[in-house]
């Protein structure tokens, strides 16, 4: 791509293709390689201390209005389980009614097996949500118990029963989707490529062939650099990080980071981050908050333009936080539009699981 093509990447010059929103920071799981787990960072403690455990509805409505205008995705994720936000089903319904696209990342535990969970699932699918991504990191009960444990470390259910309930929540989502005429909701499973997962291809086959989800996402393992204490040795793909260069001069030949050209991150305080790798929002001081500005204004401001131009000119290695970004140096930020391919290749199964 030449400079102009990069700056107008997929018509994102005016507005990001995706707005990644931290819905909540508390979680009901204690995943060992989650950057927000207390053992890995102080991020949840920070947001709790600042009375920012969950996104205010006023900010959500502002995000939804702007994303609807541009046909962009709102990605519901963050430092915890989004469905712990009591208003989220209504928030998604409202955003969809305005014309926004919505991608929900969830561990899926709050979709059942109780009646309240099933009602929550029904409402979200009825809203026309575009994507439900179940973060699983496993394809068997034992692995799930290790990589997706409850936050307390205890659960009255057995390991097998907890796994069965979780798989059934996903099967129920497929069933509810199949009963809704002309549903455009895609239902996918994601897994992080971490050593404890075991054989990735075997895990993929379980979700594709037995549960019959629409697609399976296998994401590269990230440490999030100095935001966390996560050890990159836990990655299946150690070769990604073994050879990246630390000398600024060596970074001049790296491809520009795609994140600056297509997505924007917002936290529960209404702060903007320069990049999704900056999960501590250390770059938030560069921008006004969403209370005082619009997404469009921030996306088009001179800070973003200068960083994009630096990446195009091979000068990003001179800037923070880019020069210390392991994901950029390892080439994980992909110009092959990974998340757009997930949408494109998510094909609802002819027969949904019962």
């Amino acid at each position: 791509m030449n400079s102009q093509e990069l700056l107008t990447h997929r018509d994102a010059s005016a507005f990001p293709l995706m707005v990644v929103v931290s819905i909540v920071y508390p979680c009901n799981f204690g995943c060992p390689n989650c950057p927000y787990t207390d053992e890995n960072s102080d991020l949840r403690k920070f947001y709790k201390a600042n009375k920012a455990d969950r996104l205010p509805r006023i900010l959500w409505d502002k995000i939804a209005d702007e994303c609807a205008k541009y046909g962009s995705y709102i990605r519901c994720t963050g430092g915890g389980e989004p469905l712990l936000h009591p208003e989220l089903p209504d928030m998604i319904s409202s955003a969809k009614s305005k014309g926004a696209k919505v991608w929900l990342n969830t561990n899926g535990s709050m979709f059942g097996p109780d009646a309240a969970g099933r009602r929550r699932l029904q409402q979200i699918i009825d809203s026309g949500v575009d994507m439900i991504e179940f973060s699983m990191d496993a394809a068997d009960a034992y692995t799930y118990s290790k990589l997706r444990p409850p936050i307390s470390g205890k659960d009255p259910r057995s390991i097998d029963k907890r796994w069965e309930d979780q798989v059934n929540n996903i099967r129920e989502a497929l069933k509810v989707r199949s009963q809704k005429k002309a549903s455009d909701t895609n239902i996918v499973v994601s897994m992080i490529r971490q050593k404890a997962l075991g054989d990735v291809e075997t895990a993929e086959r379980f979700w594709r062939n037995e549960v019959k989800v629409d697609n399976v996402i296998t994401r590269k393992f990230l440490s999030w650099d100095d935001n966390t204490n996560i050890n990159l040795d836990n990655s299946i793909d150690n070769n990604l990080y073994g050879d990246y260069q630390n000398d600024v001069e060596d970074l001049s030949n790296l491809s520009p980071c795609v994140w600056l050209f297509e997505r924007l991150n917002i936290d529960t305080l209404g702060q903007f981050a320069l990049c999704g790798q900056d999960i501590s929002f250390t770059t938030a001081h560069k921008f006004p908050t969403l209370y005082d500005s619009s997404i469009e204004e921030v996306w088009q401001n001179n800070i973003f333009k200068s960083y994009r131009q630096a990446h195009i000119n091979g000068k990003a290695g001179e800037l923070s936080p880019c020069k210390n970004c392991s994901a950029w140096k390892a080439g994980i930020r992909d110009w092959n539009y990974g998340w757009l391919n997930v949408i494109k290749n998510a094909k609802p199964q002819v027969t949904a699981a019962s």
Side-chain angles (χ1 to χ4, degrees), residues 22 31 41 43 67 73-74 76 101 114 123 126 146 153 160 191 195 200 202 210 223 243 271 288-289 324 329 351:
S22 295
C31 306
S41 75
L43 290 171
C67 286
Y73 273 89
I74 307 173
C76 303
K101 298 174 183 176
D114 60 302
Q123 181 180 352
D126 284 347
K146 295 299 182 183
D160 288 335
M191 298 180 289
K195 289 177 179 176
V200 178
T202 298
E210 294 190 38
S223 72
D243 299 323
Q271 296 183 128
T289 71
N324 296 318
K329 293 175 183 179
T351 55

Side-chain angles (χ1 to χ4, degrees), residues 5 8 23-25 30 51 59 67 69 91 102 108 114 123 144 180 191 201 221 239 251 262 280 324 330-331 346-347:
E5 287 173 328
T8 57
I23 301 297
V24 299
Y25 281 90
K51 297 180 171 55
L59 293 184
C67 286
K69 176 183 176 182
M91 289 159 60
V102 180
D114 60 302
Q123 181 180 352
Y144 188 71
K180 182 175 171 59
M191 298 180 289
E201 292 183 359
F221 185 96
N239 60 302
L251 302 181
E262 69 173 28
S280 296
N324 296 318
K347 304 296 183 184

Side-chain angles (χ1 to χ4, degrees), residues 139 191-194 197-206 216-218 236:
M191 298 180 289
I192 304 298
R193 294 177 59 83
Q194 50 193 305
L197 172 61
D199 185 71
V200 178
E201 292 183 359
T202 298
E204 279 195 71
R205 284 196 295 271
F206 171 78
V216 178
I217 307 168
T218 57
I236 289 175

Side-chain angles (χ1 to χ4, degrees), residues 76-129:
C76 303
T77 179
E81 168 50 44
L83 287 170
L84 287 173
H85 196 307
E87 296 183 78
L88 187 61
D90 289 335
M91 289 159 60
I92 292 175
S93 296
S94 175
K96 288 301 301 176
S97 71
K98 294 176 179 180
K101 298 174 183 176
V102 180
W103 180 322
L104 171 62
N105 283 63
T106 176
N107 62 35
S109 62
M110 295 184 68
F111 281 148
D114 60 302
R118 292 293 191 248
R119 287 194 297 271
R120 194 178 289 119
L121 173 63
Q122 184 75 54
Q123 181 180 352
I124 288 176
I125 291 182
D126 284 347
S127 75
V129 65

Side-chain angles (χ1 to χ4, degrees), residues 88-352:
L88 187 61
D90 289 335
M91 289 159 60
I92 292 175
S93 296
S94 175
K96 288 301 301 176
S97 71
K98 294 176 179 180
K101 298 174 183 176
V102 180
W103 180 322
L104 171 62
N105 283 63
T106 176
N107 62 35
S109 62
M110 295 184 68
F111 281 148
D114 60 302
R118 292 293 191 248
R119 287 194 297 271
R120 194 178 289 119
L121 173 63
Q122 184 75 54
Q123 181 180 352
I124 288 176
I125 291 182
D126 284 347
S127 75
V129 65
D130 298 85
M131 180 78 73
I132 302 177
E133 175 187 336
F134 290 91
S135 300
M136 292 302 298
D137 291 333
D140 64 85
Y142 177 76
T143 304
Y144 188 71
S145 72
K146 295 299 182 183
L147 293 179
R148 290 275 164 176
I151 191 72
S152 64
K154 298 180 180 180
D155 192 290
R157 298 169 294 178
S158 67
I159 288 174
D160 288 335
K161 177 58 175 171
R162 184 169 176 263
W163 169 251
E164 178 185 356
D165 287 345
Q166 179 61 13
V167 174
N168 284 340
N169 286 348
I170 300 175
R171 293 186 190 276
E172 184 68 15
L174 292 165
K175 179 180 178 180
V176 171
R177 193 269 308 272
S178 72
Q179 294 170 343
K180 182 175 171 59
K181 293 182 179 179
S183 174
D184 292 325
T185 299
N186 289 314
I187 296 172
V188 304
V189 157
S190 64
M191 298 180 289
I192 304 298
R193 294 177 59 83
Q194 50 193 305
K195 289 177 179 176
L197 172 61
D199 185 71
V200 178
E201 292 183 359
T202 298
E204 279 195 71
R205 284 196 295 271
F206 171 78
W207 292 110
R208 291 185 189 278
N209 301 336
E210 294 190 38
V211 182
K212 300 186 184 301
V213 296
D214 301 333
N215 205 346
V216 178
I217 307 168
T218 57
R219 291 200 173 91
K220 297 294 192 300
F221 185 96
L222 299 175
S223 72
W224 308 101
D225 300 323
D226 55 3
N227 295 292
T228 76
N229 301 316
I230 293 175
N231 188 346
L232 282 173
D233 288 342
N234 291 326
S235 169
I236 289 175
D237 309 292
N238 282 338
N239 60 302
L240 282 173
Y241 304 101
D243 299 323
Y244 69 70
Q245 304 289 336
N246 287 304
D247 192 322
V248 170
E249 292 182 0
D250 293 324
L251 302 181
S252 61
N253 294 321
L254 289 182
S255 296
C257 178
V258 66
W259 276 25
L260 288 165
F261 295 86
E262 69 173 28
R263 67 176 73 185
L264 185 61
N265 289 67
I266 301 173
D267 71 1
T268 53
L269 291 166
Q271 296 183 128
F272 295 92
L274 182 73
C275 168
Q277 187 82 353
D278 179 23
I279 59 174
S280 296
F281 281 74
T282 59
T283 55
H285 67 279
K286 297 177 181 290
F287 313 105
T289 71
L290 185 57
Y291 288 106
D292 301 317
S293 185
S294 68
I295 297 170
E296 181 181 18
E297 289 168 341
V298 170
W299 186 247
Q300 296 183 35
N301 75 11
N302 288 333
I303 298 293
F304 263 103
K305 288 179 180 178
S306 66
Y307 270 83
R308 291 179 193 127
Q309 198 63 56
H311 272 265
I312 290 168
N313 295 339
K315 301 292 186 180
E318 301 172 8
L319 302 175
S320 293
C322 305
K323 65 182 179 182
N324 296 318
C325 179
S326 61
W328 176 48
K329 293 175 183 179
I332 289 174
R333 304 304 181 208
D334 192 354
W335 280 94
N336 290 321
Y337 324 120
W339 67 274
L340 290 170
N341 279 333
V342 169
I343 297 168
K344 178 181 177 181
N345 297 324
K347 304 296 183 184
Q349 301 293 318
V350 176
T351 55

